[in-house]
Amino acid sequence: MMEQRLSVVALGVNDLARSREFYESGLGWSVAGGTNENIVFFQLGGIVLGLYPEDLLAEDATIKNDRSGSFRGVTLAYNTRAKADVDTVIQFAKNAGGRIVKPGQEVFWGGYSGYFADPDEHLWEVAWNPYWGLNDAGELLLPDVEE
Amino acid sequence: MMEQRLSVVALGVNDLARSREFYESGLGWSVAGGTNENIVFFQLGGIVLGLYPEDLLAEDATIKNDRSGSFRGVTLAYNTRAKADVDTVIQFAKNAGGRIVKPGQEVFWGGYSGYFADPDEHLWEVAWNPYWGLNDAGELLLPDVEE
């Protein structure tokens, strides 16, 4: 099954430094742990907002970012408590009428993840991240950036 | 200023009944109060996932949904505690480098809202909803659907 919750909203961006500047210096938001020159995170309540280069976000989902409108440039992520849950959830979503976009697989950052699409091609990543835990309420709470 | 939080993720859909079926019957999620034949809400932790016809979502943001890729079909919303905060936040986001897409205005459902775009045209609605309150932590918690 798939719990009724959300872990991450990832926004595809064309210039990561510019986007970080907007949210961090402009809006005054604080970046969270894990932020570096390649990806930016903000804690928003129990979920995380991620900024990531749009081409790489599309590549991660194995979707062509050809500006034809097929890739929306936004993905949602559901983080699991256990690695084995990723395949289970993706199969469950398929049985529910979703489309498997990318079967679960090992990813370069050390986790395991895949993607499914809802009926309108909104993309959900299903991810297990060994460095990120969920609390009992299912919230994803990142550490603050170390000073 | 704009607090570091998120109230709603709205997904544009082409067949609301089909999408509701996927999330509700397929994934087994429970709809929240306010759900009707025109819009569907799910409570995901302290934020709300909304399903809304994509053309109407674009219209609400005053963006042409011409499939050229300019409209992503996803919007984020930041709900304010007071009506007057909407204009303040939109102006603040503009000063931070955002683009005002729709100035704050009265909307048909009884609230007051407008939109700004971040540097990559990700749309943020800034909304005051007299029927929806935020708790002290800034979470938007909808009532359950009445049986």
Side-chain angles (χ1 to χ4, degrees):
Chain A
M1 48 107 38
M2 184 170 169
E3 295 169 38
Q4 185 167 338
R5 56 182 179 74
L6 169 67
S7 308
V8 180
V9 176
L11 303 182
V13 303
N14 289 298
D15 180 333
L16 188 62
R18 179 184 65 176
S19 294
R20 177 176 176 166
E21 169 89 10
F22 175 73
Y23 286 96
E24 187 179 28
S25 308
L27 299 187
W29 291 5
S30 301
V31 296
T35 294
N36 60 42
E37 288 173 5
N38 303 308
I39 194 161
V40 174
F41 298 115
F42 295 97
Q43 186 77 49
L44 304 185
I47 71 126
V48 168
L49 177 70
L51 307 178
Y52 196 57
E54 188 159 332
D55 285 342
L56 297 179
L57 187 62
E59 187 178 308
D60 190 57
T62 64
I63 296 274
K64 204 169 182 178
N65 190 22
D66 57 4
R67 313 281 166 180
S68 70
S70 63
F71 181 59
R72 297 177 181 276
V74 179
T75 62
L76 304 178
Y78 173 92
N79 281 39
T80 63
R81 297 174 191 279
K83 185 174 181 180
D85 292 343
V86 172
D87 290 337
T88 308
V89 168
I90 290 175
Q91 186 59 48
F92 177 77
K94 182 191 177 186
N95 294 344
R99 181 173 74 81
I100 297 180
V101 174
K102 177 188 183 181
Q105 53 196 259
E106 308 284 343
V107 279
F108 72 91
W109 45 265
Y112 185 85
S113 89
Y115 283 83
F116 71 84
D118 85 353
D120 293 276
E121 292 293 310
H122 291 288
L123 297 177
W124 281 85
E125 181 185 16
V126 181
W128 172 73
N129 184 325
Y131 311 107
W132 285 0
L134 299 168
N135 67 12
D136 288 346
E139 296 174 318
L140 172 58
L141 302 174
L142 301 187
D144 290 334
V145 169
E146 293 172 25
E147 301 295 338
Chain B
M1 46 114 27
M2 185 171 171
E3 295 169 39
Q4 185 166 338
R5 56 181 179 75
L6 170 67
S7 307
V8 181
V9 176
L11 303 181
V13 303
N14 288 298
D15 179 334
L16 188 62
R18 180 185 64 175
S19 294
R20 176 175 176 167
E21 169 89 8
F22 174 73
Y23 286 95
E24 188 178 27
S25 308
L27 299 187
W29 290 4
S30 301
V31 297
T35 294
N36 59 43
E37 289 173 2
N38 303 310
I39 194 161
V40 174
F41 298 114
F42 296 97
Q43 186 76 49
L44 304 185
I47 71 125
V48 169
L49 177 71
L51 307 177
Y52 195 56
E54 188 159 329
D55 285 342
L56 297 179
L57 187 62
E59 187 178 308
D60 190 55
T62 63
I63 297 275
K64 205 168 184 179
N65 189 21
D66 56 5
R67 311 282 167 184
S68 69
S70 63
F71 181 59
R72 297 177 182 274
V74 179
T75 63
L76 303 178
Y78 174 93
N79 280 40
T80 64
R81 297 172 190 280
K83 185 175 182 179
D85 292 341
V86 171
D87 291 336
T88 307
V89 169
I90 290 175
Q91 186 60 47
F92 177 76
K94 183 190 176 186
N95 294 344
R99 182 174 74 82
I100 297 180
V101 175
K102 178 188 182 181
Q105 53 196 260
E106 309 283 344
V107 278
F108 71 92
W109 46 265
Y112 185 85
S113 89
Y115 284 81
F116 71 85
D118 85 354
D120 293 277
E121 292 294 309
H122 290 289
L123 297 177
W124 281 87
E125 182 185 16
V126 182
W128 172 73
N129 183 324
Y131 311 108
W132 285 359
L134 298 169
N135 68 12
D136 288 345
E139 296 174 319
L140 173 57
L141 302 173
L142 301 186
D144 290 333
V145 169
E146 293 172 25
E147 301 292 339

